[in-house]
Amino acid sequence: MRPDDWSEMLAAGTGKIGEWEQHWPEIDADESLAVAPEVSLAVLDELAEALRDNYPFFHPSYAGQMLKPPHPVAAAAYAMAQRINPNAHALDGGQATARLELEVVRALSTMCGFPAETSLGHLTSSGTIANLEALWVSREIHPEKGIAYSEAAHYTHERMCQVLRVQGHTIPATEAGRMDLDALESSLATGTIGTIVATAGTTSVGAVDQIDEIVRLARRHGARVHIDAAYGGFFRLLAEGSAPLLRPETRAALAAMSEADSIVIDPHKHGLQSYGCGSVLFRDSSVGRFYRHDSPYTYFTSDELHLGEISLECSRAGAAAAALWATLRVLPLEAHQGIGAILRKTRLAALRWSELLREDAQWRLVVDPDLDIIAFYALPEDGSRTTSAVSTLTQRVFTDLMHAPPEQQLFLATLRANRQLLHSHELQWDTDDLLVFRSVLMKPEHLRMVDEFHQRLVSARGAG
Ligand SMILES: *Cc1c(COP(=O)(O)O)cnc(C)c1O
């Protein structure tokens, strides 16, 4: 894709909306809204200057956090719908985008293996809100019971339990970063757990909890299963097929997503969307009963279901549905093309870099990656194995790489890894945790970059 495809598509798309607007009599905008073009342009210049204070998220050299710009098709589609600015909360606020939302939610549900006719779901502003919604439904179903999540789960679950006034139970994680099933079973045996939150792709190292095993335990103890697949949900596309890129236990876990009661997936992470696009999916549409409200200002002009009737949020950008819909038309939810083809490359990038790190005696991989996130650290040259010395080295190399000249530059993230995760590593612990590198390889271009990345890493370590 050429860089100017972006503005070309933006101009073509918004031009079409301009044509639509011309079906109505011409209007002169009120003078209170009038701003001289040179004034607007000057402000945009000022803004462009201010926005330079960002890391280059668009560039393959940025491999730090879960961040990348939306696909140009998503951006153009968003701008088109945004010009109309439909609101997803009621059909009268925008029938077109409501229809598109139903279509993309169905596609997401199908990807998860939920039955299309009997499942229910909608887009949300974020994964956090989507998780809140799922946990709220869980609380309504098991009002007397608590919610269990792994210590490696996103911090939102503990916080949302507080918001919902539900007892939260933290289950320890294993050295693979996954929920410890023995600890979960003991917790379930107390009879106080109503819902288990399993994570498909932890924020720290991208670990996938053993959803298949968790579902089995949950059924035995009458608990619900919610899957926080905000990051890793799309990897379900790679769970099947004859040339597996995922580990057998990851494939089994992702395959079992279909047996969960609710799932959260963030299209604004691996779905090529701009922020403001999460989703929550329920296997059983009867949970819609919990959302009933009698709003005097929600307009009911049809018997069709309004998205606002099955959503905790009220106003929400219809443009988000338009952007996701257009994106999935060009890059469908398929295993070998579209989104699946992208994820194959990001996963291969993680496998390749892991291999380079494993072969290099100076480096250590924290865990074998389940998805496309890797965590690693360098050993100090003086032979020291104290966690303080390793952490200091991580910090030094991290900063040097970020400030290197463009050809040598590499933007990574750091992570405070705990003892449990590093249980089998030969380290002398003189700090509470170990500062390690974390890299989210979520761009397909990363596959052809990782060998070069490793070289940059090696020279930065040696340059101290
Ligand atoms: C990103 C993420 C969240 C939070 O979602 P937001 O869209 O950032 O609100 C929750 N859980 C997991 C596993 C995530 O990766």
Side-chain angles (χ1 to χ4, degrees), residues 342-354:
I342 296 169
L343 296 182
R344 271 172 203 283
K345 294 194 172 181
T346 66
R347 170 65 180 156
L348 280 169
L351 287 173
R352 173 66 184 151
W353 202 354
S354 301

Side-chain angles (χ1 to χ4, degrees), residues 67-87:
L67 263 168
K68 61 176 177 181
H71 192 276
V73 168
Y78 197 100
M80 288 170 76
Q82 187 189 44
R83 179 152 167 177
I84 300 168
N85 203 23
N87 187 334

Side-chain angles (χ1 to χ4, degrees), residues 66 126-128 131 154 199 201 203 228 230-231 266 268-269:
M66 296 168 173
S126 70
T128 300
N131 275 311
H154 196 273
T199 305
T203 318
D228 182 358
Y231 186 78
D266 266 359
H268 68 206
K269 286 193 179 136

